[in-house]
């Protein structure tokens, strides 16, 4: 493990927190002795495409995407799998959302295929079992994720494990508030930069 890192001129990671992890895992003394810096650079976002839009443009997007009038639109952009935790979110947050934010609706954006994917099938069954059809909508994969970010009221990142969630930095670039579990890089990106919770 160390030998591989010893061959590097530098180690580049996606956040300061990741850098601290690798310094501990590889050994700070070893890296310092070999003069191997650990630097971080946040993932690149194309700000020509990903940026906030005006209130009028946002309203048009919301209508085009089928948001209900007065809806509080929450995005959950992730591939469907246990690591991304859609099932846990549906089971725990879905009933609370129905009770505390009746105008709230979660739009699950990702490769939803319940006919072939057992995890997606479990998620759909949980929505049906808990009668959350008004609160949780499966939108499937979309090549127009930027339009969704620009139209949303909030973006959630309730995943079990992350390095630096791409949806988080893309949502931030589009001006959507982000709420995240305390996964790697989340506190650093959201709270230290005043972009979310």
């Amino acid at each position: 493990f160390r030998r591989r890192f010893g061959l590097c001129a530098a180690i580049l990671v996606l956040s300061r927190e990741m850098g601290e992890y690798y310094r501990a895992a590889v050994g700070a003394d070893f890296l310092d002795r070999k003069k191997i810096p650990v630097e971080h650079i946040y993932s690149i976002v194309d700000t020509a495409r990903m940026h906030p839009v005006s209130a009028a443009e946002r309203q048009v997007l919301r209508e085009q995407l089928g948001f209900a009038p007065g809806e509080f639109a929450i995005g959950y952009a992730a591939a469907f799998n246990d690591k991304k935790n859609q099932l846990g979110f549906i089971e725990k947050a879905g009933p609370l959302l129905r009770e505390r934010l009746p105008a709230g609706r979660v739009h699950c954006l990702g490769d939803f295929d319940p006919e072939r994917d057992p995890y997606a099938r479990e998620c759909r069954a949980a929505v049906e079992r808990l009668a959350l059809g008004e609160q949780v909508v499966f939108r499937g994969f979309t090549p127009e994720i930027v339009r969704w970010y620009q139209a949303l009221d909030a973006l959630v990142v309730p995943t079990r494990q992350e390095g630096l969630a791409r949806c988080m930095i893309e949502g931030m670039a589009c001006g959507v508030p982000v709420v995240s579990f305390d996964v790697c890089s989340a506190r650093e990106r959201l709270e230290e930069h005043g972009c979310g919770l």
Side-chain angles (χ1 to χ4, degrees):
F1 181 72
R2 270 189 179 186
R3 208 171 88 210
R4 291 182 195 144
F5 282 97
L7 298 173
C8 299
I11 299 170
L12 184 62
V13 294
L14 296 175
S15 70
R16 189 182 67 249
E17 186 177 350
M18 284 176 145
E20 291 164 3
Y21 168 83
Y22 279 106
R23 280 189 58 77
V26 175
D29 291 345
F30 172 80
L31 294 171
D32 293 343
R33 206 172 44 252
K34 294 275 196 179
K35 294 184 170 67
I36 302 170
V38 178
E39 303 288 339
H40 71 275
I41 182 170
Y42 298 128
S43 290
I44 297 168
V45 174
D46 180 359
T47 54
R49 285 181 54 234
M50 296 186 186
H51 55 80
V53 294
S54 71
E57 291 172 299
R58 187 168 177 270
Q59 185 56 42
V60 169
L61 287 173
R62 291 172 69 87
E63 289 168 9
Q64 290 173 346
L65 294 171
F67 294 1
E71 173 181 327
F72 187 86
I74 302 165
Y76 193 145
F80 268 81
N81 61 58
D82 186 60
K83 177 184 154 189
K84 298 299 184 180
N85 198 29
Q86 288 93 342
L87 182 59
F89 181 80
I90 290 165
E91 292 178 335
K92 301 291 184 184
L96 289 172
L97 182 64
R98 179 178 53 215
E99 176 188 326
R100 298 182 185 177
L101 186 63
R105 178 179 277 178
V106 179
H107 299 269
C108 294
L109 307 162
D111 57 345
F112 184 71
D113 187 359
E115 305 314 315
R116 286 185 267 186
D117 177 13
Y119 186 78
R121 198 163 36 252
E122 279 186 82
C123 292
R124 182 178 64 188
V127 166
E128 292 169 359
R129 182 178 76 251
L130 297 168
L132 296 172
E134 293 296 313
Q135 287 74 40
V136 179
V137 182
F138 300 109
R139 298 295 187 177
F141 172 79
T142 175
E144 298 180 329
I145 192 70
V146 177
R147 297 176 71 228
W148 283 90
Y149 292 144
Q150 292 168 333
L152 292 170
D153 293 299
L155 183 66
V156 293
V157 185
T159 56
R160 298 181 191 283
Q161 182 181 351
E162 285 289 347
L164 176 60
R166 175 155 293 287
C167 67
M168 180 187 303
I169 59 172
E170 291 176 346
M172 289 167 58
C174 292
V176 63
V178 179
V179 179
S180 177
F181 277 9
D182 193 10
V183 291
C184 182
S185 308
R187 188 174 299 278
E188 177 179 345
R189 291 301 288 140
L190 298 177
E191 293 184 355
E192 290 182 21
H193 296 275
C195 300
L197 301 172

